[in-house]
Amino acid sequence: MNENLESLMYPIGRYQRQDGYTPELLKEWITVLKHLPSWMDACIENLDAHQLQTPYREGGWTIQQVVHHVADSHANAYIRLKLALTEDNPTIKPYNEYRWALLNDVQDVPVNVSVTMLHTMHIRMVSVMNSMQPTDWERTYFHPEHKRDIPVWEMTAMYAWHSRHHTEHIMRLRERMGW
Ligand code: NI
């Protein structure tokens, strides 16, 4: 992949698998998840319908699709978190994010609906995380596509990365466009 496309697709770099975690890192990841909904507010602030239909890069998702995708993705994360905490290494259900992003709710529903969804859902997700004990962070789910057990602490790192990743897609587009 050429360097420019790589940096457009992965503005903060690809997700780097973490070897482990510290209480400080956990705190940082949870803080990111706490702030993501307000970052999405800033991402869509004052954008008109045409701007929302602009792809964040050539051939990529539109801003509208990115915002709805973040809600779709984090809804799955929230469910995975709760499954992992309440069942013994449950197998989670992967989903086809590209097809999800083509369904009618993503095409037709205003983005602020998904931002509201993120605000409410992240309150619940962060509430669960803030109450977790060290052993809870080691609990796992099995991801059938990655074919491995993923501990909850790593899931948290992944979604913190994911939050920053998509926020940067939109913010860098706005910067380039002078919006
Ligand atoms: Ni994503």
Side-chain angles (χ1 to χ4, degrees):
M1 198 181 289
N2 77 52
E3 206 181 313
N4 192 39
L5 181 57
E6 177 75 17
S7 72
L8 283 170
M9 286 181 81
Y10 299 99
I12 59 161
R14 295 179 189 240
Y15 171 68
Q16 302 289 332
R17 195 168 153 186
Q18 302 280 322
D19 295 329
Y21 67 100
T22 60
E24 290 71 31
L25 277 172
L26 270 183
K27 208 169 151 188
E28 186 187 313
W29 298 330
I30 296 170
T31 302
V32 168
L33 293 174
K34 187 178 161 192
H35 288 115
L36 178 269
S38 52
W39 294 350
M40 286 289 117
D41 281 328
C43 278
I44 63 169
E45 193 177 12
N46 297 325
L47 294 184
D48 63 28
H50 175 74
Q51 290 168 323
L52 289 168
Q53 296 308 323
T54 308
Y56 80 91
R57 65 170 172 87
E58 206 181 310
W61 278 335
T62 62
I63 294 178
Q64 172 150 332
Q65 283 176 305
V66 171
V67 174
H68 285 311
H69 158 73
V70 173
D72 283 347
S73 165
H74 293 204
N76 277 280
Y78 171 57
I79 297 294
R80 288 169 187 185
L81 169 68
K82 296 196 35 144
L83 286 171
L85 293 176
T86 55
E87 297 178 23
D88 189 20
N89 196 30
T91 298
I92 55 91
K93 181 72 187 75
Y95 68 102
N96 185 322
E97 61 181 25
Y98 302 102
R99 291 187 192 161
W100 280 41
L102 298 174
L103 293 178
N104 198 63
D105 56 340
V106 172
Q107 302 299 318
D108 267 13
V109 175
V111 282
N112 63 302
V113 171
S114 274
V115 177
T116 299
M117 185 176 155
L118 285 162
H119 273 286
T120 56
M121 201 163 55
H122 277 232
I123 289 173
R124 294 190 61 181
M125 184 157 49
V126 169
S127 162
V128 171
M129 288 176 170
N130 280 335
S131 73
M132 285 167 58
Q133 300 303 309
T135 50
D136 295 325
W137 291 102
E138 306 288 344
R139 296 186 66 87
T140 56
Y141 58 74
F142 178 72
H143 196 301
E145 280 175 358
H146 300 304
K147 295 188 177 28
R148 66 182 180 98
D149 298 342
I150 298 182
V152 173
W153 66 261
E154 188 184 346
M155 184 198 108
T156 307
M158 254 159 25
Y159 284 94
W161 171 86
H162 192 252
S163 297
R164 297 177 57 227
H165 171 67
H166 286 300
T167 299
E168 284 301 310
H169 282 155
I170 299 173
M171 285 315 212
R172 293 199 187 186
L173 173 68
R174 292 189 67 151
E175 213 176 286
R176 293 198 303 277
M177 303 298 266
W179 293 345

